[in-house]
């Protein structure tokens, strides 16, 4: 019977991957296959997929799983993402994120070595990803602000543009949708706790190692392809804060939510939820914006647009998380993962094998689709039970799964940020993918080694 469980689970997973790679709607794929998987699990096991919480009808229980997943997602992860997503889009819309990026760029102007500047641009961008969660938005900001700086220093346009894609490679921070999902739906902790106890331990190691690698590798590639430093005549006009039409202090607003959450985490007896922090920031920004612009109409328009952005997050992210949870439940109920985990339990190095195997799903999907969200939302919840079976720290499985897919997507021509950045910089996307292949392969290897060292000892 165990073989049947494994075969059915594998068939369901292969079907999902195949449908996604054939460009079928991911949400429909997970929902459709999730229902089929739950139905098959009910037939094969002869028990309700809801266990003791059954509605009284095993057929009705299949659809009640969908209800339960949507309700739990919207009440937990969903409302957080809608609030954060609305605020992030508002900061992009009013150019506060642009001001923040320009301010970060000014810190690098005093450094003369072009490839040290390039490495630091990557570090600054990786840190800013915590506050500017959209990889497309961050990439385009860096094309506008950092690309002229790098090309004026002699870095080739290919290398300078490539780093504008790489800066958004890792999904980090308590504001990121994947991090919020991990904290609320997988580990039942706060987003800040997940960030501090898992991401922040491994991510800095990756960032520093990749920064050093970029400085050496991009210098080598520029010398190999262009004979050394190149000084582009079409580097573009350097953007200044005055060109944006907003006060320089607007660059502080993207930072405030995280500052509030972190600051109140040190205050005994007071808890600052991510949602509460963003609500405060909404009120603070609209009040300040009204004082600056003295136009209530602008405030009303921005608020109306914020509701639309929040709705888009529901449509694009929250629904995906909900139906991916249904699919994950179907995989769980088919018991194939449990059978494999139990078989690996006594094998030497089983935990690392499991970490690599789970991560490869995200890496492969990211390369072929340009997105690592779907496999993360579908397979991320499996990490805790597998880790429990193998007797290892859940971080050993969870952190590589979370980070490597995002790193791998930077080599995909289907990545939204790749398409947007290459188009804005007027460079072929495949050229950037080729340039990013070695650094991201290196980053993935470092991620596995760092995770094994931190969580495997």
């Amino acid at each position: 019977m165990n073989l049947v469980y494994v075969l059915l689970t594998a068939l369901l997973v292969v079907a999902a991957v195949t449908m996604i790679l054939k460009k079928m709607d991911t949400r429909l794929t997970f929902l459709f296959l999730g229902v089929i998987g739950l139905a098959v699990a009910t037939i094969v096991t002869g028990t309700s997929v809801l266990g003791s919480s059954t509605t009284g009808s095993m057929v009705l229980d299949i659809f009640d799983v969908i209800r339960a997943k949507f309700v739990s997602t919207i009440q937990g992860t969903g409302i957080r993402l809608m609030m954060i997503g609305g605020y992030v889009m508002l900061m992009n819309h009013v150019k506060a994120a642009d001001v923040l990026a320009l301010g970060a760029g000014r810190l690098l102007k005093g450094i003369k070595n072009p490839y040290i500047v390039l490495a630091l641009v990557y570090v600054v961008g990786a840190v800013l990803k915590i506050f500017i969660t959209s990889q497309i938005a961050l990439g385009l900001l860096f094309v506008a602000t950092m690309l002229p700086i790098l090309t004026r220093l002699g870095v080739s346009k290919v290398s300078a543009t490539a780093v504008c894609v790489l800066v958004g490679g890792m999904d980090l921070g308590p504001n990121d949708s994947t991090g919020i999902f991990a904290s609320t739906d997988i580990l039942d902790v706060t987003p800040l706790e997940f960030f501090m106890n898992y991401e922040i331990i491994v991510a800095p190691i990756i960032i520093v190692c990749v920064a050093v690698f970029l400085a050496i590798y991009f210098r080598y590639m520029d010398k190999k392809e262009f004979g050394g430093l190149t000084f582009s005549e079409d580097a573009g006009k350097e953007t200044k804060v005055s060109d944006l039409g907003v006060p320089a202090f607007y660059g502080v607003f993207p930072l405030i939510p995280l500052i509030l959450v972190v600051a109140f985490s040190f205050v005994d007896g007071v808890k600052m939820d991510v949602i509460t922090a963003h609500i405060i920031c909404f009120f603070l920004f609209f009040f300040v914006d009204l004082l600056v612009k003295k136009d209530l109409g602008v405030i009303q328009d921005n608020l109306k647009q914020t509701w639309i952005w929040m709705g888009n997050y529901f449509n694009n992210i929250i629904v995906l998380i909900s139906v991916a949870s249904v699919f994950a439940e179907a995989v769980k109920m088919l018991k194939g993962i449990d059978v494999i985990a139990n078989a690996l339990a006594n094998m030497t190095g089983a935990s690392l094998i499991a970490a690599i195997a789970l991560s490869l799903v995200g890496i492969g999907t990211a390369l072929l689709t340009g997105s690592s969200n779907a496999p993360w939302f579908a397979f991320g919840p499996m990490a805790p039970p597998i880790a429990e079976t193998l007797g290892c720290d859940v971080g050993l499985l969870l952190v590589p799964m979370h980070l490597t897919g995002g790193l791998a997507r930077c080599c995909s021509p289907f990545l939204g940020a790749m398409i947007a950045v290459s188009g804005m910089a007027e460079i072929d996307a495949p050229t950037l993918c080729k340039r990013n292949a070695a650094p991201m392969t290196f980053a993935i290897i470092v991620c596995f080694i760092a995770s094994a060292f931190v969580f495997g000892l």
Side-chain angles (χ1 to χ4, degrees), residues 3-281:
L3 180 60
V4 174
Y5 291 149
V6 172
L7 290 176
L8 289 174
T9 303
L11 182 62
L12 189 67
V13 172
V14 170
V17 172
T18 302
M19 291 174 70
I20 291 173
L21 294 182
K22 288 184 176 296
K23 304 300 182 183
M24 294 192 67
D25 185 84
T26 306
R27 292 162 294 187
L28 177 62
T29 296
F30 281 142
L31 183 61
F32 177 70
L33 291 180
V35 170
I36 291 178
L38 291 170
V40 171
T42 300
I43 294 171
V44 172
T45 63
T47 59
S48 168
V49 290
L50 288 178
S52 60
S53 302
T54 178
T55 62
S57 167
M58 288 195 293
V59 175
L60 184 59
D61 287 350
I62 294 171
F63 298 96
D64 202 55
V65 169
I66 301 174
R67 175 202 63 79
K69 295 301 181 183
F70 268 86
V71 170
S72 63
T73 298
I74 294 172
Q75 287 180 342
T77 306
I79 189 62
R80 283 185 168 87
L81 289 181
M82 289 174 69
M83 191 66 66
I84 292 169
Y87 188 76
V88 168
M89 294 303 295
L90 177 64
M91 292 297 98
N92 292 337
H93 178 68
V94 301
K95 300 188 182 302
D98 298 60
V99 176
L100 178 61
L102 281 173
R106 291 182 64 181
L107 299 175
L108 306 175
K109 285 189 175 181
I111 303 171
K112 301 302 180 184
N113 187 300
Y115 294 99
I116 291 179
V117 174
L118 183 143
L120 291 176
V121 164
Y122 172 75
V123 173
V124 169
V127 173
L128 286 183
K129 183 63 166 61
I130 298 173
F131 308 97
I132 305 172
T133 56
S134 167
Q135 187 178 11
I136 294 177
L138 185 63
L140 293 178
L141 282 176
F142 269 52
V143 170
T145 58
M146 303 298 179
L147 183 60
I149 294 174
L150 291 172
T151 52
R152 281 189 176 89
L153 288 172
V155 176
S156 73
K157 193 175 182 181
V158 174
S159 294
T161 306
V163 82
C164 293
V165 177
L166 295 178
V167 292
M170 283 194 292
D171 297 321
L172 298 173
N175 287 346
D176 188 82
S177 61
T178 57
I180 292 174
F181 176 77
S183 62
T184 58
D185 288 45
I186 300 178
L187 296 178
D188 193 24
V189 298
T190 67
L192 182 62
E193 287 173 333
F194 175 70
F195 178 59
M196 298 301 294
N197 295 334
Y198 293 93
E199 290 182 329
I200 201 64
I201 302 175
V202 173
I205 300 173
I206 300 173
I207 292 171
V208 172
C209 290
V210 170
V212 174
F213 187 90
L214 288 177
I216 298 171
Y217 179 73
F218 279 10
R219 180 179 182 275
Y220 165 77
M221 292 302 297
D222 284 353
K223 186 174 183 179
K224 178 182 177 182
E225 295 180 359
F226 305 106
L229 295 177
T230 60
F231 296 92
S232 176
E233 295 180 0
D234 61 342
K237 178 185 176 182
E238 186 175 342
T239 307
K240 299 179 180 178
V241 174
S242 57
D243 298 330
L244 301 176
V246 295
F249 70 83
Y250 270 40
V252 176
F253 282 105
L255 308 176
I256 297 178
L258 185 58
I259 292 174
L260 286 176
V261 172
V262 172
F264 276 92
S265 68
F266 294 101
V267 179
D268 293 335
V270 179
K271 293 182 178 180
M272 172 68 74
D273 188 85
V274 171
I275 299 175
T276 307
H278 282 81
I279 291 174
I280 292 172
C281 291

Side-chain angles (χ1 to χ4, degrees), residues 284-350:
L284 178 61
F285 173 76
F286 283 129
F287 176 73
V288 173
D289 200 40
L290 180 60
L291 292 178
V292 171
K293 297 178 180 177
K294 298 179 175 60
D295 188 345
L296 187 60
V298 173
I299 307 301
Q300 292 182 107
D301 291 341
N302 285 340
L303 186 58
K304 290 177 182 178
Q305 192 62 47
T306 299
W307 304 137
I308 295 174
W309 290 321
M310 292 172 70
N312 289 338
Y313 260 74
F314 178 87
N315 177 52
N316 296 327
I317 303 296
I318 299 168
V319 172
L320 175 59
I321 292 175
S322 300
V323 295
S325 298
V326 174
F327 177 81
E329 188 69 16
V331 173
K332 176 184 175 183
M333 290 298 169
L334 287 173
K335 299 182 179 180
I337 299 296
D338 293 339
V339 173
I340 295 173
N342 287 326
L344 289 173
N346 297 320
M347 184 183 298
T348 303

Side-chain angles (χ1 to χ4, degrees), residues 355 358-359 362 375-376 379-381 383 396-406:
L358 289 171
S359 298
W376 171 245
F379 299 108
L396 180 59
L397 306 183
L398 208 58
V399 172
M401 285 180 69
H402 185 216
L403 298 180
T404 56

Side-chain angles (χ1 to χ4, degrees), residues 367-411:
L367 287 171
L368 295 171
T369 67
S371 173
S372 58
N373 282 357
W376 171 245
F377 294 146
F379 299 108
M382 299 177 189
I386 293 176
E388 184 178 356
T389 301
L390 298 178
C392 67
D393 191 313
V394 69
L396 180 59
L397 306 183
L398 208 58
V399 172
M401 285 180 69
H402 185 216
L403 298 180
T404 56
L407 293 168
R409 73 186 177 206
C410 293
C411 306

Side-chain angles (χ1 to χ4, degrees), residues 201-202 349 351-352 355 391-397 400 447-457:
I201 302 175
V202 173
S351 301
L352 189 57
C392 67
D393 191 313
V394 69
L396 180 59
L397 306 183
C447 181
F448 282 125
I449 294 173
S451 298
F453 181 78
V454 171
F455 299 108
L457 295 180

